[in-house]
Amino acid sequence: MIRAPATVPKNDLPSFAGRVSARVALAPYTWFRVGGEAEILYAPQDTDALAGALRIWAGPVLPIGVGSNLLVRDGGIEGLVVRLGRGFAGIAIEGETIRAGAAVPDAKLAQAAQRAGLAGLEFYRGVPGTVGGAVRMNAGCHGTETCDRLIEATVVLRDGTVQTLSNDALGFAYRHCDLPEDAILVEAVFRGTPDKPDAIANRMADLMTAREEAQPVREKTGGSTFRNPPGESAWKLIDNAGCRGLRFGGAQVSEKHCNFLINHGDATAADLETLGETVRERVMAASGHDLHWEIRRVGQA
Ligand SMILES: Cc1cc2nc3c(=O)[nH]c(=O)nc-3n(C[C@H](O)[C@H](O)[C@H](O)COP(=O)(O)OP(=O)(O)OC[C@H]3O[C@@H](n4cnc5c(N)ncnc54)[C@H](O)[C@@H]3O)c2cc1C
């Protein structure tokens, strides 16, 4: 059953600067297209508005990007879900660095860098998230991670304080940074390396071709489900455990890339999570490896 925590009546919303809506279905805001409602969905108009709102708001806070790495559980998310929009979508080229708002799609960042003749951000072309989600997750592929190119990032902390943190201060590791879950990234600055725009464009095209061949990029999915254990590939462990194509309800382990879960259209978040846990059990039984979720599972079951 899809239900909302819904403690805030629609006519009693907090008056934050920006768009505030109660009991908003989150499925359309995620790649999996599943999950319950946000108690309150807030789209601040700018950093000052966001900082002001966080100073007033007393409940839980969860930032989301475009939901390409999120499994929102069917019971929805209590408190304030913050989704940055237009006020956080600017890109500025400053010499060999690029400043981008946290709502900028990774692909747009890659394309802006390419047009400016700045190499090193090609890997973002096929990552379907936003700059905020990329920094939070230390997103990466094809041998480059966000932390290899990030100079600094600006965050609004839970108490409304705005801070600019250096790469070192963010504590990056594989698909991880040390920020608290309720800290909201609003901007990031990246380092490019001068190169010919044509050469960068050709490399990006090659990366996109390789991705289309290897991943189910047109499905309702959340990207890589599990982190690669040190020295291992999660997909190989899943394949060797006999889970390729495994189904539960409307959820399936992708036939094309078995570290991806797919919603065939009628899956619930519970179907997807149950299937993922079944995969973990089978991999443990087959190889002794304890897979850890890379996809962020949020909200109430
Ligand atoms: C087809 C497909 C392919 C993918 N390929 C890759 C890949 O090659 N490499 C890779 O690393 N990932 C990949 N992913 C996963 C995903 O795209 C990345 O993790 C991406 O960085 C998530 O960004 P998002 O904006 O969608 O964040 P969301 O999925 O919305 O959120 C992910 C996490 O980031 C946090 N977050 C989001 N925005 C902010 C913000 N502004 N401030 C603070 N925290 C925030 C959320 O709270 C959550 O914890 C893929 C996903 C799909 C569906």
Side-chain angles (χ1 to χ4, degrees):
M1 185 184 58
I2 315 279
R3 65 177 195 282
T7 56
V8 177
K10 287 204 175 197
N11 57 2
D12 193 17
L13 289 171
S15 51
F16 300 149
R19 196 153 21 91
V20 184
S21 323
R23 290 191 254 153
V24 178
L26 286 173
Y29 293 98
T30 73
W31 266 62
F32 270 130
R33 295 284 189 274
V34 299
E37 296 177 343
E39 188 176 8
I40 300 179
L41 184 64
Y42 175 41
Q45 62 199 33
D46 56 26
T47 299
D48 285 347
L50 174 60
L54 293 185
R55 281 196 289 271
I56 298 166
W57 175 253
V61 172
L62 180 79
I64 63 169
V66 289
S68 62
N69 203 52
L70 270 190
L71 181 58
V72 175
R73 294 195 175 106
D74 299 315
I77 300 178
E78 201 182 328
L80 197 65
V81 173
V82 177
R83 190 171 191 270
L84 305 181
R86 234 177 276 159
F88 302 83
I91 301 184
I93 307 291
E94 300 168 354
E96 293 180 11
T97 67
I98 305 169
R99 181 178 297 274
V104 169
D106 298 327
K108 279 206 168 166
L109 173 65
Q111 287 164 326
Q114 180 269 329
R115 281 194 299 273
L118 292 175
L121 300 172
E122 296 90 307
F123 74 102
Y124 277 139
R125 178 64 186 82
V127 180
T130 59
V131 163
V135 175
R136 165 85 256 175
M137 297 302 300
N138 190 17
C141 51
H142 313 294
T144 312
E145 293 180 312
T146 297
C147 63
D148 299 325
R149 288 286 159 183
L150 186 93
I151 298 171
E152 61 183 29
T154 302
V155 291
V156 183
L157 299 174
R158 178 64 194 83
D159 64 0
T161 312
V162 181
Q163 277 185 9
T164 297
L165 300 170
S166 69
N167 183 313
D168 280 351
L170 287 159
F172 284 115
Y174 170 59
R175 300 293 174 267
H176 170 87
C177 83
D178 272 347
L179 282 177
E181 300 283 321
D182 51 11
I184 303 178
L185 289 145
V186 290
E187 189 177 85
V189 181
F190 299 89
R191 178 174 45 82
T193 306
D195 196 359
K196 292 193 179 69
D198 283 356
I200 303 171
N202 288 339
R203 284 197 295 274
M204 283 199 323
D206 289 348
L207 296 181
M208 289 305 280
T209 305
R211 181 178 286 270
E212 289 262 352
E213 280 168 9
Q215 296 182 354
V217 292
R218 301 192 190 289
E219 303 279 0
K220 299 185 184 85
T221 179
S224 294
T225 309
F226 301 107
R227 301 154 63 93
N228 288 322
E232 296 280 354
S233 296
W235 77 262
K236 276 190 197 155
L237 297 171
I238 295 167
D239 207 9
N240 291 341
C243 296
R244 188 180 289 266
L246 189 68
R247 290 188 87 126
F248 183 82
Q252 187 179 22
V253 175
S254 167
E255 295 275 2
K256 193 170 185 180
H257 189 313
C258 52
N259 197 21
F260 281 54
L261 299 182
I262 288 170
N263 169 13
H264 277 291
D266 59 353
T268 60
D271 288 346
L272 288 156
E273 192 165 9
T274 303
L275 180 60
E277 287 300 323
T278 306
V279 168
R280 287 187 65 224
E281 281 164 23
R282 293 196 183 184
V283 167
M284 174 58 88
S287 66
H289 280 282
D290 185 11
L291 291 180
H292 295 282
W293 286 84
E294 178 172 323
I295 286 174
R296 296 293 175 108
R297 293 160 298 151
V298 294
Q300 299 162 28

